[in-house]
Amino acid sequence: MGRRGAGRRELLSRSPARSMALAVSLLPPLLLLLLGRPGLGAPGQGAGTWLRFARLPYPQDQLFLHDTFPDGFLWGAGSAAYQTEGGWRQGGKGASVWDTFAHRPATPSGTAPPGPVGGDVASDSYNNLFRDVEGLRRLGVSHYRFSLSWARLLPNGTAPPNPAGLAHYGRLLARLRELGVEPVVTLYHWDLPQALQDAFGGWASPVLPGLFRDYAELCFRHFGGQVRYWLTMDNPYVVAWHGYGTGRLPPGVRGGPRLAYLAAHHLLQAHAKVWHLYNDHFRPAQGKVSIALSSHWIKPQRMTEKNIKECQKSLDFVLGWFAKPIFIDGDYQSMRSNLSSLLPEFSEAEKKYIKGTADFFALSFGATLSFQLLDSHMKFQQLESISLRQLLYWINSEYNNPQIFIVENSWFVSGTTKKDDAKYIYYQKFIMETLKAIRYDGVHVFGYTVWSLLDGFEWHRGYSIRRGLFYVDFQSHDKKLMPKSSVLFYQKLIEKNGFPPLPENQPIEGIFPCGFAWGIVDNYIQVDTTPAQFLDSNVYVWDVHQTKQLIKLDGVYASKRKRHCVDFAAIRLQISLLQEMHVTHFHFSLKWSLILPLGNLSLINHTLVHYYQCFASELLRVNITPVVALWQPMIENQELPVSLAKYGAWENTETVQAFVEYARFCFTSLGDHVKFWITMNEPSVKNLTYTAGHNLLKAHAKVWHLYDKEFRRSQKGKISIALQADWVEPACPFSRNDQEVADRILEFDIGWLAEPIFGNGDYPEVMRAWLHRRNSIDLYNFHLPYFSEDEKKLIQGSFDFFALSHYTTTLVGSEKEDAVKYDHYLEVQMINDITWLHSPSRAAVVPWGLRKLLKWVKSKYGNVPIYVMANGIDDDQNMVHDKLRVYYIQNYINEALKAYTLDDVNLQGYFVYSFNDKTAPKYGLYSYVANQYEPKPSLKHYREIIGNNGFPGPETPELLCPEEVASCPDCHFFRTRKSLLAFISFVFVAFIVTIFFITYYSKRVERQYK
């Protein structure tokens, strides 16, 4: 490993829990506990949820929690009979309202969707029972939620029962018992027998509760010995509101709100009858009964008391419509003040009969049911949110701390998506929020059910979306199950019982080496060449009697003095601000368009050049190393001189030679002060044509060779190019296709310019092969130019170090999901990971992405010295205490330390972006308000890290670094004239010795005469 690696072993300490510098990572549990957990809940107490979560510590509250679920936590998957069973005419099954609804007359010609319609066949689970159970075995779940088809067991809705139906579910339960999988059985999941709808009007009739009780008794008697968890019905809100109110769903009755509330009334009565039946006759030998209730989550547009009340009302009118009667008071008390004329009445006896008819709180939450079937007026002008954690806390507070069983939680992908689905990201979010609700908020959740086990018919969305863990080809005959990426995610989750802490997720202690470059970036320094008053040669008198102003005396002049760097007040201010940061390096870019306005040496802005010289020399005076970029593209003319921008910019080969001449001038004018050069800073590959990139690479290489041959020996500096390099992560880490997409994007985004310089002198083979494929298939005309052999030799190796700017990480997939975020050219789907922390501009905060990038650079280009030349995040001026940036800097630097110490990456410097908000609004470590610079908390935090040279712990050995002597830019005269200085010194010493002897002997002679 060598001397450098040996030093690392001494520096690395593996006890992060004791590191004060890393205490940020330990804040969430402590701070959340300080805020308190809910006491005994009661109606109305849920209204405190919104204010509580608004006060949680940011960003710690939003971070990923690495922890596990309680022992015995139930993990399962679910399905519904009509969605997956098929076999609608097999085994004596009767028609359901969904069968009838799906078989309505076809849509007008040309508008019918292709493929299957309704659940006639669906996933064909009726004929593939063992196939489904094998999927459960593969997942390793503890329970399986499924529904019984009322019309399959009682084809007419009433006796006699269907023996084939009883036998089918008996086989399923027996197979589950063999595997040790707990059945969670739903009696009614929307598929009411059509015969009951025709005979009585369905749930609009008071007869239905009694008939439902009879059906339930049949199920309890035949299957109860094998079932411990029963659900009477699923999401009665959808059945009542959209089945009998809006008519969007079966049976399609458009009866308006009054009939919807009547149907809900009967559904509640039916549920209560079944619960009491079970409680009175079956509970001692069997298990528990509840009802699956679905809910959305809502947040106020603004945190006002009125808006919070509207949010509370929204939840009461959807979830509370059924939950309040069952869990609280047996009535619709929270709705009556608004809907007294529409809501049916319960007698006092009925209220007592309904109250308490649930043994646990069964919750359903997901995009399809919780939000897509939620009428807009039920939001009461507030905002939807997919925060499961807040909903769990609200239920805990509002409903007396119930035991909660999440019996359905889902997300969806496009119906065209096959095996590489990224919806596991949403599962990860929901499961993470459940874990936080348990660990931080004291909510009693004992089970989680992912929806669904396999693809099926998705109700009002048909086959346009998929929610299954296993893919089903609905057009195939055998309907095989193919595991998606989400299967692998869920398998591992169940195995680990959550997200246990891993070493790579933990911060480390340790320090960087001596001489590590701690820097700050300002794209362009503030240039103010206004002359100081001391350079004005005019003479003034003060009119103290009349105007009280200075009056210039014509024709009278004082002698002029030479201009000095201290005359630039703007430089003094910026230097003092930089000194406050304790940085060792300052990175900024020159303005080519202002230094050489015409693009050549015929017109030079000497005042600006002098300003840059002064700025660099003043930096050196205070021991800050200037890191100077010759060119950085900006929006206007790409920051090129107008004459060059107008005639093709980098498309024109003349720009290459112009850049070389400009660089020669800069090296000559500033080289005595600048020893750290960047030829081009962050050339944007998103805005480059292949021809422009080709010329840009040649220009860089020529400038590097110019410096190497003509200036390096005398100026003793180093030079390279700085590339923007954000990490690209495959959406599905288990998917080979997604990994190929991520690799392709890295080559197009970074390898395009990096491979010719740091690699083999030519473009990445991945790029050439991909462009050839695209051009041949789609008739594109995108061709990478070719370098001659001499050009390859010129470009290859034209670097002294690898400089990169890194800000964020992008998630990509191969399956097209969102056309807006899909790149057809590169066949890549950009994906937003909702579990990641995001800045106000929606930039993802993913510290581990930096470590992966640094390892990637090392694996691609060897042990090249690396500088992270820019790393930063935007903020919101309203965010308290700059907390996001503090977190960002802390954790990105810690990941850089991991790359250095654990991965042996040759990392030599780190620069924060940016210096101040004046030149880079919202990114600065200094705010700029009312012409004043104020340090943000993140500046103080960065300064502390610099002072510690990283994150030392109690066991980190002290590293003694030699004091660095400030470089003297004005000493060049003396350094280059050493012989002359030696001669002058000799003459001076000889003169002093001669004087000494003359004086000595004169005094001696004088004493002799005396």
Side-chain angles (χ1 to χ4, degrees):
M1 188 179 291
R3 180 181 176 187
R4 187 165 165 271
R8 288 179 181 178
R9 288 195 293 269
E10 295 175 3
L11 299 179
L12 179 58
S13 172
R14 298 183 183 274
S15 53
R18 293 173 295 176
S19 174
M20 290 295 290
L22 302 179
V24 174
S25 63
L26 304 177
L27 286 176
L30 301 175
L31 292 178
L32 289 164
L33 285 171
L34 288 173
L35 288 170
R37 293 184 172 186
L40 289 175
Q45 284 194 9
T49 301
W50 291 277
L51 285 175
R52 178 186 187 272
F53 280 88
R55 295 197 306 266
L56 291 182
Y58 177 84
Q60 287 76 18
D61 173 58
Q62 297 184 21
L63 301 181
F64 201 91
L65 172 61
H66 292 282
D67 202 349
T68 56
F69 284 80
D71 293 340
F73 191 82
L74 301 178
W75 295 104
S79 67
Y82 186 75
Q83 288 187 282
T84 60
E85 270 189 5
W88 80 289
R89 284 180 171 173
Q90 287 182 260
K93 177 185 176 296
S96 73
V97 292
W98 266 98
D99 290 320
T100 304
F101 196 76
H103 295 154
R104 291 172 300 171
T107 55
S109 178
T111 63
V117 177
D120 292 2
V121 179
S123 316
D124 202 20
S125 290
Y126 182 74
N127 297 302
N128 291 278
L129 183 151
F130 290 97
R131 174 205 66 181
D132 293 357
V133 175
E134 176 59 23
L136 294 169
R137 186 198 63 77
R138 180 167 182 170
L139 285 170
V141 295
S142 55
H143 71 272
Y144 177 45
R145 182 193 168 193
F146 65 94
S147 71
L148 305 174
S149 170
W150 189 346
R152 189 175 296 282
L153 291 171
L154 297 172
N156 295 316
T158 59
N162 174 20
L166 293 171
H168 170 74
Y169 293 116
R171 288 193 298 272
L172 174 57
L173 289 168
R175 182 60 180 147
L176 292 175
R177 185 172 66 250
E178 290 174 8
L179 292 178
V181 176
E182 186 83 54
V184 178
V185 181
T186 308
L187 293 170
Y188 169 62
H189 201 129
W190 307 1
D191 49 352
L192 182 73
Q194 183 63 41
L196 299 184
Q197 182 66 33
D198 295 339
F200 305 106
W203 291 108
S205 169
V207 175
L208 261 290
L211 297 177
F212 185 61
R213 181 198 177 280
D214 296 340
Y215 161 60
E217 184 173 5
L218 170 74
C219 297
F220 293 156
R221 291 193 185 281
H222 278 83
F223 311 125
Q226 302 174 70
V227 180
R228 288 198 305 151
Y229 292 100
W230 289 96
L231 298 172
T232 56
M233 56 186 69
D234 183 88
N235 202 350
Y237 166 85
V238 169
V239 176
W241 191 256
H242 291 300
Y244 294 87
T246 67
R248 281 184 68 187
L249 299 179
V253 179
R254 298 179 181 178
R258 187 177 297 278
L259 188 62
Y261 291 126
L262 180 62
H265 202 69
H266 296 148
L267 285 163
L268 279 166
Q269 291 172 329
H271 159 78
K273 282 180 179 289
V274 170
W275 187 89
H276 282 284
L277 167 70
Y278 191 84
N279 192 57
D280 295 342
H281 301 286
F282 298 96
R283 185 183 300 278
Q286 296 185 16
K288 298 179 179 181
V289 179
S290 190
I291 180 173
L293 301 178
S294 181
S295 182
H296 61 301
W297 182 246
I298 197 92
K299 63 181 182 181
Q301 292 208 35
R302 286 180 293 115
M303 199 63 70
T304 65
E305 184 178 353
K306 178 180 181 298
N307 286 346
I308 290 174
K309 286 181 178 179
E310 294 298 286
C311 290
Q312 182 82 359
K313 188 190 297 183
S314 175
L315 294 172
D316 277 340
F317 274 49
V318 179
L319 177 60
W321 184 4
F322 298 91
K324 285 289 171 68
I326 294 171
F327 289 92
I328 302 299
D329 56 15
D331 199 6
Y332 314 108
Q333 199 60 46
S334 60
M335 299 171 67
R336 284 213 178 275
S337 59
N338 296 85
L339 301 168
S340 57
S341 62
L342 293 175
L343 287 171
E345 295 281 348
F346 285 121
S347 66
E348 290 303 315
E350 286 177 321
K351 291 178 185 178
K352 292 179 181 178
Y353 191 73
I354 293 171
K355 180 181 177 181
T357 56
D359 300 327
F360 53 90
F361 200 113
L363 176 66
S364 172
F365 184 81
T368 304
L369 304 184
S370 300
F371 298 99
Q372 293 178 5
L373 290 173
L374 177 69
D375 277 12
S376 58
H377 70 273
M378 288 292 189
K379 303 172 193 174
F380 295 95
Q381 299 181 340
Q382 305 308 309
L383 304 174
E384 290 175 335
S385 171
I386 56 173
S387 177
L388 176 56
R389 179 186 172 190
Q390 294 186 43
L391 175 61
L392 290 169
Y393 184 88
W394 184 86
I395 291 171
N396 197 64
S397 302
E398 192 78 8
Y399 292 100
N400 301 317
N401 304 89
Q403 294 282 327
I404 300 175
F405 191 175
I406 299 174
V407 295
E408 177 178 348
N409 181 228
S410 68
W411 202 255
F412 62 92
V413 294
S414 166
T416 60
T417 299
K418 294 186 178 180
K419 294 168 60 178
D420 294 332
D421 70 331
K423 71 173 180 291
Y424 82 90
I425 294 169
Y426 289 88
Y427 293 145
Q428 185 168 268
K429 171 184 169 61
F430 295 137
I431 293 169
M432 171 58 55
E433 292 196 342
T434 303
L435 180 60
K436 287 182 177 180
I438 293 171
R439 296 302 187 195
Y440 292 165
D441 308 328
V443 180
H444 305 290
V445 184
F446 67 89
Y448 174 88
T449 311
V450 71
W451 201 273
S452 62
L453 173 64
L454 67 166
D455 290 335
F457 175 74
E458 291 298 340
W459 309 118
H460 62 295
R461 299 293 298 273
Y463 294 96
S464 65
I465 63 171
R466 293 175 180 268
R467 290 196 290 163
L469 295 177
F470 288 91
Y471 173 81
V472 176
D473 182 355
F474 299 114
Q475 306 291 348
S476 68
H477 175 71
D478 53 9
K479 304 287 191 299
K480 287 183 179 179
L481 296 190
M482 291 187 284
K484 302 180 186 178
S485 306
S486 45
V487 164
L488 300 175
F489 161 77
Y490 200 44
Q491 273 180 328
K492 292 183 180 296
L493 177 80
I494 294 172
E495 286 175 10
K496 298 175 181 178
N497 197 34
F499 311 99
L502 299 173
E504 59 263 32
N505 298 327
Q506 305 304 307
I508 66 168
E509 295 173 347
I511 54 178
F512 291 93
C514 291
F516 190 78
W518 292 104
I520 191 73
V521 186
D522 203 356
N523 285 341
Y524 296 102
I525 58 174
Q526 179 186 347
V527 175
D528 183 359
T529 57
T530 303
Q533 60 181 359
F534 304 108
L535 298 177
D536 190 352
S537 60
N538 292 294
V539 177
Y540 300 84
V541 295
W542 186 17
D543 185 358
V544 296
H545 299 292
Q546 296 181 3
T547 63
K548 310 293 185 183
Q549 295 180 349
L550 292 173
I551 300 174
K552 184 172 70 172
L553 298 179
D554 294 333
V556 181
Y557 301 98
S559 59
K560 288 186 177 181
R561 71 164 175 81
K562 186 180 178 181
R563 183 175 296 206
H564 300 293
C565 290
V566 293
D567 293 326
F568 296 119
I571 292 180
R572 293 199 304 272
L573 174 60
Q574 291 179 81
I575 297 297
S576 66
L577 295 175
L578 288 168
Q579 283 183 282
E580 285 294 313
M581 304 176 80
H582 297 180
V583 293
T584 62
H585 290 64
F586 179 55
H587 174 31
F588 64 94
S589 299
L590 304 177
K591 287 202 169 187
W592 183 5
S593 62
L594 297 183
I595 294 175
L596 302 179
L598 299 182
N600 54 49
L601 300 179
S602 63
L603 179 61
I604 301 171
N605 188 339
H606 290 287
T607 302
L608 180 59
V609 173
H610 179 61
Y611 188 92
Y612 284 134
Q613 289 171 336
C614 287
F615 195 94
S617 65
E618 287 299 296
L619 284 172
L620 292 170
R621 185 180 61 81
V622 296
N623 211 26
I624 297 176
T625 300
V627 181
V628 180
L630 294 170
W631 174 72
Q632 176 167 342
M634 298 297 283
I635 295 176
E636 186 175 358
N637 293 328
Q638 301 182 53
E639 194 43 52
L640 295 172
V642 176
S643 59
L644 297 176
K646 188 184 297 184
Y647 294 103
W650 288 108
E651 297 270 342
N652 190 339
T653 55
E654 291 185 7
T655 304
V656 175
Q657 191 55 39
F659 185 65
V660 174
E661 293 306 313
Y662 161 63
R664 184 191 302 276
F665 173 77
C666 292
F667 295 152
T668 303
S669 303
L670 301 172
D672 289 342
H673 309 286
V674 179
K675 310 302 176 188
F676 200 141
W677 289 99
I678 301 293
T679 56
M680 300 160 177
N681 193 52
E682 298 184 22
S684 175
V685 296
K686 298 284 191 294
N687 301 319
L688 274 182
T689 65
Y690 293 130
T691 301
H694 200 70
N695 289 333
L696 188 145
L697 283 166
K698 289 191 286 187
H700 154 78
K702 288 185 176 184
V703 168
W704 186 89
H705 283 284
L706 168 69
Y707 189 83
D708 189 56
K709 293 175 181 177
E710 299 184 23
F711 296 94
R712 189 187 298 276
R713 179 173 296 181
S714 61
Q715 296 182 2
K716 295 180 172 54
K718 53 187 175 183
I719 184 169
S720 196
I721 187 172
L723 304 176
Q724 181 162 339
D726 289 333
W727 181 244
V728 181
E729 183 75 5
C732 302
F734 321 107
S735 165
R736 185 178 65 183
N737 292 336
D738 284 6
Q739 185 62 59
E740 288 177 356
V741 167
D743 292 341
R744 181 161 66 245
I745 300 304
L746 285 171
E747 294 293 359
F748 271 82
D749 283 359
I750 306 173
W752 176 9
L753 299 181
E755 184 64 28
I757 298 171
F758 300 93
N760 61 13
D762 200 358
Y763 297 114
E765 185 55 38
V766 170
M767 284 186 72
R768 287 209 184 276
W770 181 259
L771 292 174
H772 177 74
R773 173 179 173 272
R774 297 299 293 171
N775 292 339
S776 62
I777 294 175
D778 300 324
L779 301 179
Y780 282 109
N781 191 26
F782 296 122
H783 293 284
L784 276 176
Y786 286 88
F787 294 114
S788 67
E789 290 303 315
D790 288 342
E791 288 173 334
K792 289 180 182 179
K793 291 177 182 178
L794 177 79
I795 296 171
Q796 185 181 22
S798 57
F799 67 91
D800 295 334
F801 50 88
F802 195 116
L804 60 89
S805 299
H806 175 84
Y807 302 99
T808 188
T809 291
T810 304
L811 201 65
V812 298
S814 57
E815 295 276 4
K816 182 179 179 180
E817 285 287 332
D818 181 354
V820 175
K821 296 181 179 180
Y822 187 77
D823 186 331
H824 292 271
Y825 178 56
L826 293 176
E827 294 184 4
V828 55
Q829 177 69 63
M830 303 299 176
I831 297 171
N832 177 38
D833 190 329
I834 59 174
T835 66
W836 289 350
L837 191 64
H838 288 83
S839 74
S841 69
R842 304 305 300 161
V845 179
V846 190
W848 50 258
L850 175 58
R851 182 183 177 189
K852 287 194 173 187
L853 173 68
L854 294 173
K855 289 170 66 177
W856 182 84
V857 171
K858 180 186 175 183
S859 68
K860 288 276 292 181
Y861 306 116
N863 197 35
V864 57
I866 301 175
Y867 289 86
V868 178
M869 296 302 298
N871 179 236
I873 195 73
D874 63 292
D875 63 13
D876 188 331
Q877 301 299 331
N878 298 322
M879 285 191 178
V880 182
H881 303 314
D882 194 31
K883 291 182 178 179
L884 178 61
R885 184 174 289 104
V886 169
Y887 171 83
Y888 184 98
I889 291 173
Q890 167 89 14
N891 287 276
Y892 272 84
I893 295 177
N894 197 260
E895 291 296 323
L897 180 64
K898 290 179 186 178
Y900 173 73
T901 56
L902 304 179
D903 307 325
D904 202 31
V905 172
N906 189 5
L907 184 64
Q908 298 196 0
Y910 171 89
F911 292 65
V912 167
Y913 181 83
S914 165
F915 180 20
N916 62 73
D917 283 345
K918 183 176 182 181
T919 52
K922 298 186 178 182
Y923 281 86
L925 297 192
Y926 280 101
S927 63
Y928 184 75
V929 181
N931 295 323
Q932 294 291 324
Y933 293 95
E934 290 294 334
K936 299 179 183 178
S938 52
L939 184 151
K940 299 174 183 176
H941 190 68
Y942 184 42
R943 185 170 59 196
E944 181 181 344
I945 294 173
I946 295 173
N948 291 324
N949 199 29
F951 308 96
E955 298 178 7
T956 304
E958 185 177 1
L959 186 67
L960 298 176
C961 298
E963 288 289 332
E964 292 188 13
V965 180
S967 176
C968 176
D970 296 324
C971 297
H972 179 68
F973 173 86
F974 301 102
R975 286 198 300 267
T976 56
R977 294 167 172 81
K978 292 180 181 179
S979 299
L980 177 62
L981 287 173
F983 175 73
I984 293 174
S985 299
F986 172 77
V987 172
F988 179 74
V989 171
F991 175 74
I992 296 297
V993 171
T994 302
I995 295 297
F996 171 76
F997 279 109
I998 291 174
T999 305
Y1000 173 76
Y1001 283 106
S1002 296
K1003 289 183 178 180
R1004 187 174 179 182
V1005 170
E1006 186 178 329
R1007 284 196 297 270
Q1008 287 178 350
Y1009 278 108
K1010 289 180 179 180

